[in-house]
Amino acid sequence: MEFSKLFIALIFILQTLVFVSSAPGNSNLFREYIGAEFKNVKFSDLPIDKNVEFHFILSFAVDYTTSSSASPTNGKFNIFWDTDNLTPSQVAAIKSKNSNVKVALSLGGDSVGGGSAYFNPSSVNSWLSNAVSSLTNIIQEYNLDGIDIDYEHFQTDPDTFTQCIGQLISTLKKNGVISFASIAPFDDDQVQSHYMALWKSYGHLIDYVNFQFYAYDEGTTVSQFMNYFETQRSNYKGGKILPSFISDGSGGLSPENGFFTACKAIMID
């Protein structure tokens, strides 16, 4: 059985949650994106099962200015999550109370300052230098453990994206700044061309594929979901693919329509 078959994910998008359950002998994992909606959600608002590895993913850090007319900064990342409720001291507190909790940050996202958040480097070397420096500062300030890549719009080619992001993950891991990295693609031709190019060259450094299965059409059926999963398992061959759903039911396969049935079938497939 391929390792990617062992992971089942549950993603809710208001405060995006990801639950991952693995087969016996591998640790369970629950992941939640937090902070993007500014709904005063705190780390302590979620019950944490001591038997589950729990990842909070702060959303988002973006290489844009924080002004009302945000503009690209070529890899100089700023924080765009709810810093009133998700502070360095609160990260320290939740991790000190729960040895099974890790905290990461997600890069990019869909929008910033009322417009799309584009991946738009001036050059690989300049973007990489700025990104390593700015992200290292944020990660060390917040005592974070990993990064997630969630760029959804691009003003550069797949090869440039691959070299920037691949070298970023490689450098941060080599420097001991992070211990894991994930990517969050969805089924869009431009998005897939960039992330699959990244996977081809740097997939060995990517620990999880947080695939956005909730981006498929609302009313997805169990059989459709399983076909989608099989397709993405082929696209990101050998990866830990995380199936997902959105809590408001606006897309993908919902629990009411058989999400857990599909997950069970995937696990025994």
Side-chain angles (χ1 to χ4, degrees):
M1 178 180 292
E2 294 181 11
F3 197 58
S4 61
K5 292 184 179 181
L6 304 180
F7 286 79
I8 304 301
L10 173 59
I11 300 182
F12 304 91
I13 278 243
L14 286 177
Q15 302 82 41
T16 312
L17 306 181
V18 184
F19 170 76
V20 184
S21 177
S22 69
N26 296 297
S27 62
N28 294 325
L29 171 64
F30 180 98
R31 314 191 90 202
E32 175 190 4
Y33 290 76
I34 187 171
E37 297 294 327
F38 288 80
K39 294 181 179 293
N40 298 316
V41 178
K42 302 178 178 64
F43 295 123
S44 57
D45 289 336
L46 271 134
I48 297 173
D49 188 328
K50 296 293 185 182
N51 298 314
V52 175
E53 184 176 351
F54 201 111
H55 292 180
F56 286 106
I57 306 177
L58 296 166
S59 308
F60 292 92
V62 194
D63 52 334
Y64 269 67
T65 61
T66 57
S67 61
S68 57
S69 56
S71 58
T73 57
N74 191 37
K76 296 179 181 178
F77 281 85
N78 290 303
I79 292 170
F80 284 85
W81 63 74
D82 181 0
T83 54
D84 289 337
N85 292 289
L86 304 169
T87 65
S89 62
Q90 289 163 331
V91 171
I94 197 69
K95 291 176 71 171
S96 66
K97 292 177 182 177
N98 302 276
S99 61
N100 57 321
V101 166
K102 295 181 181 178
V103 184
L105 60 77
S106 188
L107 308 184
D110 175 57
S111 61
V112 60
S116 296
Y118 285 97
F119 184 76
N120 186 28
S122 298
S123 69
V124 172
N125 288 340
S126 63
W127 186 92
L128 180 63
S129 176
N130 290 336
V132 168
S133 176
S134 59
L135 287 173
T136 297
N137 288 339
I138 294 171
I139 290 166
Q140 291 179 341
E141 178 186 2
Y142 277 77
N143 188 25
L144 305 180
D145 304 285
I147 61 172
D148 174 71
I149 309 302
D150 190 23
Y151 280 102
E152 303 184 5
H153 308 282
F154 306 89
Q155 290 183 333
T156 188
D157 60 277
D159 183 63
T160 300
F161 177 73
T162 293
Q163 294 309 314
C164 286
I165 299 300
Q167 291 185 49
L168 173 66
I169 294 172
S170 177
T171 302
L172 293 179
K173 281 193 168 186
K174 183 169 63 176
N175 292 348
V177 177
I178 61 172
S179 59
F180 61 83
S182 58
I183 57 175
F186 57 94
D187 196 10
D188 170 89
D189 288 346
Q190 185 185 44
V191 169
Q192 290 281 61
S193 68
H194 285 72
Y195 281 93
M196 289 173 64
L198 172 64
W199 182 260
K200 182 178 180 180
S201 296
Y202 290 95
H204 61 289
L205 294 177
I206 297 168
D207 301 280
Y208 309 105
V209 180
N210 292 352
F211 197 84
Q212 298 183 39
F213 288 96
Y214 47 83
Y216 286 107
D217 290 341
E218 181 180 357
T220 295
T221 65
V222 170
S223 61
Q224 287 174 328
F225 182 92
M226 293 179 68
N227 286 335
Y228 296 151
F229 184 86
E230 187 64 31
T231 297
Q232 301 315 323
R233 184 166 61 188
S234 176
N235 286 338
Y236 300 95
K237 189 173 180 61
K240 300 174 186 176
I241 314 299
L242 313 185
S244 55
F245 78 80
I246 186 170
S247 61
D248 65 7
S250 62
L253 176 62
S254 67
E256 295 81 5
N257 290 329
F259 176 80
F260 293 107
T261 299
C263 289
K264 290 177 182 178
I266 289 169
M267 288 188 71
I268 63 176
D269 182 13

